[in-house]
Amino acid sequence: DGEAYKYYSDGEWKKSASGKTVNIVNPSTRKTHYKVQACTQEEVNKVMEIAKSAQKAWAKTPLWKRAELLHKAAALLKEHKSPIAECLVKEIAKPAKDSVTEVVRSGDLISYCAEEGVRILGQGTFLVSDSFPGNERTKYCLTSKVPLGVVLAIPPFNYPVNLAVSKIAPALIAGNSLVLKPPTQGAVSCLHMVHCFHLAGFPKGLISCVTGKGSEIGDFLTMHPGVNCISFTGGDTGIAISKKAGMIPLQMELGGKDACIVLEDADLDLAAANIVKGGFSYSGQRCTAVKVVLVMDSVADSLVQKVNAKVAKLTVGPPEENCDITPVVSESSSNFIEGLVMDAKEKGATFCQPYKREGNLIWPLLLDNVRPDMRIAWEEPFGPILPVIRINSVEEGINHCNASNFGLQGCVFTRDINKAMLISDAMETGSVQINSAPARGPDHFPFQGLKDSGIGSQGVTNSINMMTKVKSTVINLP
Ligand code: G3H
């Protein structure tokens, strides 16, 4: 009926006093599909205040009880997978099946986090003083992990639910409170997900969800003195946040230009299958997507042919019909992608398919013979466009990978495991996949980017540790 979704504060659903709303445009129809509240700075202040006091009580709640509530939220999320997935389809044009997978994966992540939390937070360390020169055995040091306080979580549009819970669950199990600022596209999916936490019965004010324009409340949130930790996934905004934020722990994952190096001895069928999956799933809108193929010239023709055969089979159309390629998130994103394609065209790249676009729907395109002077060799399209650069030595591939500002993941295809290990060591990225496309999951694996790809490491254990600090108590004996 066009009414805007309410935001979540103090355990209640509220309308913003601003009287203003933000439109969420369906990428497929390019029409407003939902509306959310445009929260004010005063409302953010209120949420911060409540989060601070709710956290004090939460930190005293036994760990096993915190875990129990998280398990409950996980079960509720899975129970409500269909309506949440439906929102993902309408807000971010994620194929219907993948949308359900995102919600289920999120439930699993919450449960795993609860399990892992009770294990790692249930342990501390014990040190004695006489192991350090000059000391007698007169000091006993006990350490435990204590929460940071209020964690601010900012997930991106491409995994609004999954990359929200990957921040929420570790924050909560560790005894923190949580303020969520969803992306505009994906905000309604986030609100539904938060509703599952509400139904699970978490204490009032422990979790809040404020919606609104980044330009109005973005800096206000990230620079808020009440925030004790920021976990952000997204684009360049993260670099700006890291410069403006206070002296608090930051966890940032900011995109990548993941290279796929294909050697002469590679299983080319395996490489082609992974290149298509890695490059084109969710229309290339994944930070871990394969974003440049660096293939040895001697096998390049054969690889390109195999990739093209698979690209031809990709279905293109609406997310409701589970098409492989669906409209990209916005018109500005489509225009940006088109700019990269036009630049490559002017500079002489080989188009393996004709360039085709209808609205935000862009047909999958493999660009062969890309050279370093083309923007697509370096920039992240976040769309279904994949450049192939032909190389004459492994070093050339490694050098291209390392010349990028990004350093998220990379992958190498070869049957020689020794070579693969050496290449992995040489690639300046947070992870290297041997004989598979880059991917974050399984979600308990450490996940981190070097250079402009991020700060800190994610994955369940690392996130829990990052959202706590070590507290020592020293017993001094007479
Ligand atoms: O977009 C960034 C995500 O962290 C990538 O996750 O590898 O599961 O698609 P994924």
Side-chain angles (χ1 to χ4, degrees):
D1 60 358
E3 218 194 296
Y5 277 85
K6 292 173 179 160
Y7 76 104
Y8 187 63
S9 159
D10 205 12
E12 285 169 24
W13 299 97
K14 295 178 180 170
K15 270 191 177 174
S16 169
S18 71
K20 288 190 213 151
T21 56
V22 179
N23 292 343
I24 297 172
V25 176
N26 181 329
S28 308
T29 62
R30 291 184 288 157
K31 295 205 169 83
T32 298
H33 200 95
Y34 301 117
K35 285 178 183 169
V36 292
Q37 306 294 319
C39 291
T40 63
Q41 298 189 348
E42 292 83 82
E43 282 156 348
V44 168
N45 279 334
K46 184 83 193 137
V47 152
M48 288 296 169
E49 204 179 288
I50 300 165
K52 193 172 177 179
S53 69
Q55 191 269 328
K56 302 275 180 240
W58 181 243
K60 294 197 179 94
T61 305
L63 192 47
W64 66 265
K65 272 197 189 167
R66 288 187 230 150
E68 207 171 73
L69 280 172
L70 282 168
H71 281 302
K72 225 172 170 183
L76 282 158
L77 194 64
K78 285 186 178 182
E79 218 175 278
H80 293 94
K81 63 177 190 239
S82 301
I84 301 175
E86 205 176 297
C87 291
L88 290 170
V89 170
K90 302 299 180 199
E91 287 189 284
I92 62 164
K94 184 170 277 194
K97 265 196 203 154
D98 295 346
S99 295
V100 174
T101 306
E102 175 172 346
V103 183
V104 173
R105 172 182 179 182
S106 304
D108 290 337
L109 199 161
I110 298 171
S111 288
Y112 190 99
C113 209
E115 297 284 325
E116 187 72 352
V118 291
R119 303 283 167 258
I120 62 176
L121 298 166
Q123 292 176 9
T125 60
F126 173 62
L127 287 90
V128 287
S129 50
D130 63 342
S131 56
F132 199 88
N135 283 274
E136 297 299 318
R137 200 181 174 85
T138 52
K139 290 174 189 287
Y140 293 168
C141 178
L142 305 165
T143 71
S144 64
K145 284 177 182 151
V146 295
L148 298 175
V150 180
V151 175
L152 172 64
I154 309 181
F157 82 83
N158 64 343
Y159 284 96
V161 174
N162 185 260
L163 284 172
V165 306
S166 72
K167 306 171 191 320
I168 297 172
L172 295 183
I173 193 66
N176 299 288
S177 59
L178 195 286
V179 174
L180 175 66
K181 163 65 180 76
T184 298
Q185 302 295 135
V188 176
S189 310
C190 274
L191 289 167
H192 277 77
M193 176 269 296
V194 168
H195 190 55
C196 296
F197 283 82
H198 172 81
L199 293 174
F202 281 88
K204 273 187 166 201
L206 188 71
I207 307 164
S208 316
C209 184
V210 285
T211 52
K213 282 226 169 358
S215 53
E216 295 219 348
I217 55 167
D219 279 355
F220 192 73
L221 272 163
T222 53
M223 293 165 75
H224 201 285
V227 172
N228 304 111
C229 169
I230 303 174
S231 179
F232 175 92
T233 308
D236 292 349
T237 318
I239 296 177
I241 292 174
S242 71
K243 288 185 180 142
K244 290 183 206 160
M247 200 176 71
I248 54 171
L250 302 176
Q251 188 181 47
M252 302 257 164
E253 195 250 289
L254 314 178
K257 184 72 183 170
D258 292 7
C260 172
I261 302 182
V262 183
L263 305 195
E264 280 159 321
D265 70 344
D267 176 340
L268 294 182
D269 290 307
L270 180 73
N274 275 278
I275 287 167
V276 172
K277 186 167 165 267
F280 296 106
S281 56
Y282 188 35
S283 308
Q285 297 174 108
R286 294 165 55 236
C287 55
T288 49
V290 170
K291 296 201 179 102
V292 57
V293 176
L294 301 159
V295 56
M296 290 295 283
D297 198 36
S298 58
V299 292
D301 284 343
S302 174
L303 182 77
V304 165
Q305 194 186 14
K306 286 174 191 290
V307 171
N308 279 333
K310 290 183 190 299
V311 169
K313 288 192 186 138
L314 294 174
T315 54
V316 183
E320 288 84 355
E321 288 170 25
N322 273 315
C323 290
D324 299 309
I325 304 295
T326 55
V328 298
V329 70
S330 64
E331 192 163 344
S332 64
S333 178
S334 322
N335 292 342
F336 174 76
I337 296 163
E338 186 162 298
L340 293 177
V341 172
M342 291 311 144
D343 174 79
K345 189 173 189 175
E346 271 165 36
K347 292 174 183 159
T350 308
F351 279 52
C352 297
Q353 296 78 24
Y355 173 65
K356 189 173 170 193
R357 169 182 170 187
E358 275 172 20
N360 295 337
L361 188 60
I362 296 175
W363 270 250
L365 173 58
L366 192 76
L367 296 171
D368 196 1
N369 297 303
V370 165
R371 288 188 324 265
D373 65 325
M374 301 176 190
R375 286 176 56 201
I376 192 73
W378 305 104
E379 294 181 43
E380 186 182 25
F382 238 65
I385 311 297
L386 184 56
V388 176
I389 299 180
R390 294 166 176 241
I391 53 173
N392 291 303
S393 69
V394 175
E395 289 66 38
E396 208 182 320
I398 294 169
N399 289 343
H400 185 91
C401 166
N402 293 349
S404 170
N405 290 336
F406 290 116
L408 189 59
Q409 293 205 358
C411 62
V412 52
F413 285 85
T414 170
R415 287 187 170 94
D416 183 339
I417 188 67
N418 297 329
K419 242 188 224 171
M421 288 306 298
L422 290 172
I423 293 170
S424 169
D425 280 351
M427 287 170 86
E428 292 165 4
T429 60
S431 306
V432 174
Q433 305 268 351
I434 297 173
N435 292 326
S436 185
R440 173 166 47 108
D443 290 341
H444 67 308
F445 280 11
F447 180 51
Q448 55 280 317
L450 306 184
K451 298 189 266 185
D452 285 355
S453 287
I455 306 175
S457 179
Q458 301 172 75
V460 172
T461 313
N462 288 342
S463 292
I464 295 173
N465 284 329
M466 183 262 176
M467 291 175 183
T468 59
K469 57 187 160 198
V470 174
K471 167 83 186 259
S472 303
T473 302
V474 182
I475 302 169
N476 289 275
L477 303 174

